[in-house]
């Protein structure tokens, strides 16, 4: 056996065991999950009620771009909530089992005080998980720090909601960043986009999303 071939063999064996190592460690958050087939109907847009969608949303080359202004109207005339332009994952509401959101997100520098992803619904209250960007940092609501230095770059976000264990886990770029108790069963679904926080918000808020997937553990 010549040297070149044996190096190649050793490398392949190493690479193979590395992969197994990664999988058994759960470095790939989607390992053991099955992707739910999605169509356009699963992506329902919410935007300020008095403005046409194209003034707050675009979809170009697979990238959903969503933006909103601090003085925009809520998503419907009877709502008193903060302004939002969001994708609500529709037809995928869940109330049991283990579910996962995956998407590649991008937040431009300047956007602050905006929820960019959430799990809507809870046994009590409106949401199970709110992930907000403040000054390039991601926080759980306005509290716990989840990740830093997120402006102007694509990052992979994975959110696992395990209703059996009552836990929510957040990964950024495949790295386990945050874990928190959930808020019980409810009419639960994932959302992403921009939804103004109650305070400390920038006038302009934007996030971009691509390759959005929903997974379920079987
Ligand atoms: C293992 O995980 C690391 C860090 O997430 C990654 O850089 C590497 O490519 C992975 N290796 C394999 C073989 O998947
Ligand atoms: C964001 O923009 C501000 C103002 O232009 C600048 O001072 C800051 O360094 C920028 N941050 C990043 C992470 O680029
Ligand atoms: C708004 O920002 C100020 C200054 O950083 C901080 O003291 C205050 O707690 C923030 N308010 C909220 C509701 O996050």
């Amino acid at each position: 056996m010549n040297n070149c071939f044996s190096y190649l063999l050793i490398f392949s064996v190493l690479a193979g065991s590395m992969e197994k190592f990664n999988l058994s460690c759960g470095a790939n958050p989607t390992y053991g999950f099955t992707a739910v087939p999605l169509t356009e109907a699963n992506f329902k847009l919410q935007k300020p009620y008095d403005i046409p969608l194209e003034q707050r949303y675009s979809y170009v080359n697979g990238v959903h771009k969503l933006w909103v202004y601090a003085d925009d109207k809520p998503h419907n005339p009877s709502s008193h909530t903060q302004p939002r332009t969001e994708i609500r994952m529709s037809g995928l509401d869940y109330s049991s089992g283990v579910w996962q959101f995956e998407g590649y997100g991008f937040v431009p520098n300047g956007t602050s005080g905006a929820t960019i992803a959430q799990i809507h619904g809870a046994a009590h209250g409106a949401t199970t998980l709110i992930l907000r960007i403040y000054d390039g940092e991601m926080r759980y609501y306005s509290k716990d720090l989840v990740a830093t230095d997120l402006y102007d770059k694509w990052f992979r976000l994975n959110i696992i909601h395990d209703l059996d264990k009552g836990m929510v886990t957040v990964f950024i770029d495949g790295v386990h960043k945050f874990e928190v108790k959930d808020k019980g069963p409810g009419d639960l679904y994932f959302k992403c986009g921009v939804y103004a926080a109650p305070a400390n918000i920038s006038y302009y808020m934007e996030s971009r999303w691509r390759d959005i997937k929903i997974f379920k553990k079987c």
Side-chain angles (χ1 to χ4, degrees), residues 184-200:
D187 179 18
L188 302 160
Y189 51 88
F190 295 102
K191 301 181 84 175
C192 63
V194 274
Y195 173 37
N200 294 337

Side-chain angles (χ1 to χ4, degrees), residues 134 142 199-200:
Y134 289 103
S142 48
N200 294 337

Side-chain angles (χ1 to χ4, degrees), residues 40-51:
E40 248 178 73
N42 297 117
F43 296 76
K44 207 172 137 194
L45 269 300
Q46 297 181 343
K47 45 91 189 165
Y49 69 81
D50 62 339
I51 289 171

